[in-house]
Amino acid sequence: MTDLYLIRHGQTKWNLEKRIQGNMDSPLTELGQKQARWLYEAYRDCQIDVIYTSTLDRAFETAKILRGDREIEIIRLDELKEIHFGEWEGLEFMQLKEKNPEAFDAFRFTPETFRAEGGETFTEAKARVVGAAEEILEKNRGRKVAMVIHGAILKLLMGHYMDLGINQVWEEPVIRPTSVSHIRFNDSGYEILKFGDVSHYRETDENSFGI
């Protein structure tokens, strides 16, 4: 069996400010660091053989906290970065909604048709992360693999394994910071054991929607 744990990074400063991060970056908040420590404590006795993470610092910092003092390799890959939102990155959601309501509605309600100027489509992002995941799984057969990534890219990857359309990317569950989605692969296929699980939380987080 091969186990794949898909983990979103901890809460960031721009999550609180409701800004689009995309390929730009924002530091973990104090709560974001706590969320990663809660995750580490919950999975401290769980075998993890390797951690893959995007090259963005918010994911890498979460991965380092998850690793703790264990001797686990962390591999950073550009292919695991969040969707590139072009000129939208760094702007507040409400600012975008007021400035260009049609584009914002496409982003929210018909993501399969959306592309921010200078960015990539959801279809392109899905192909990128699915390709990376398939390579990772091929290299790590029979191992326990953690991937610390980003909210939208995680939903696209789960959508691939659940045979969901890109138009369903914003449906429940909400992918909260450090949430865990667990897929187990075997010779006959795979099963989804967790999707957006935050049972390790010690306090709720209702302020971290973001990409």
Side-chain angles (χ1 to χ4, degrees):
M1 293 187 298
T2 304
D3 285 281
L4 178 62
Y5 299 93
L6 302 176
I7 298 159
R8 185 187 169 198
H9 59 78
Q11 184 198 70
T12 69
K13 183 174 182 288
W14 279 12
N15 287 154
L16 290 181
E17 295 176 359
K18 302 293 190 289
R19 294 182 187 274
I20 290 185
Q21 296 175 111
N23 281 196
M24 295 179 72
D25 225 337
S26 172
L28 297 182
T29 62
E30 182 178 348
L31 177 57
Q33 294 172 16
K34 283 183 182 179
Q35 290 165 337
R37 287 196 294 271
W38 299 336
L39 180 68
Y40 161 74
E41 289 165 8
Y43 283 81
R44 177 166 38 196
D45 298 325
C46 174
Q47 179 184 343
I48 297 176
D49 296 307
V50 61
I51 301 174
Y52 287 83
T53 178
S54 94
T55 50
L56 294 168
D57 284 345
R58 60 189 185 270
F60 182 54
E61 291 303 315
T62 302
K64 289 195 295 183
I65 296 170
L66 171 62
R67 176 175 65 181
D69 59 0
R70 295 175 291 179
E71 294 185 3
I72 303 173
E73 183 181 15
I74 298 178
I75 300 171
R76 303 177 77 173
L77 296 176
D78 275 336
E79 290 83 0
L80 300 180
K81 290 165 77 170
E82 181 60 287
I83 298 176
H84 183 21
F85 284 100
E87 65 180 14
W88 280 35
E89 294 185 355
L91 302 178
E92 297 177 15
F93 282 94
M94 290 309 298
Q95 190 178 2
L96 290 166
K97 186 175 182 179
E98 292 169 2
K99 181 180 178 182
N100 195 336
E102 289 185 5
F104 190 85
D105 282 350
F107 159 76
R108 181 66 183 87
F109 300 111
T110 57
E112 68 276 14
T113 71
F114 173 80
R115 183 202 295 268
E117 186 69 30
E120 65 183 334
T121 66
F122 280 73
T123 300
E124 290 166 344
K126 181 176 181 178
R128 164 169 60 81
V129 72
V130 168
E134 293 299 306
E135 286 189 21
I136 288 168
L137 290 168
E138 182 62 30
K139 289 177 182 177
N140 292 280
R141 290 192 176 197
R143 304 183 82 197
K144 314 292 185 183
V145 180
M147 284 173 50
V148 183
I149 50 177
H150 306 270
I153 212 78
L154 194 157
K155 287 294 286 285
L156 289 172
L157 187 54
M158 287 297 292
H160 168 72
Y161 290 113
M162 297 175 71
D163 198 25
L164 302 177
I166 287 173
N167 62 319
Q168 297 170 278
V169 69
W170 301 132
E171 293 183 3
E172 295 287 341
V174 173
I175 300 300
R176 302 193 183 281
T178 71
S179 67
V180 178
S181 300
H182 181 189
I183 309 174
R184 175 166 291 164
F185 298 81
N186 56 43
D187 291 339
S188 61
Y190 56 84
E191 60 177 326
I192 295 168
L193 302 178
K194 294 181 180 179
F195 190 5
D197 178 68
V198 289
S199 58
H200 56 282
Y201 272 22
R202 299 184 184 177
E203 58 187 87
T204 58
D205 176 13
E206 301 297 337
N207 299 303
S208 296
F209 173 79
I211 48 179

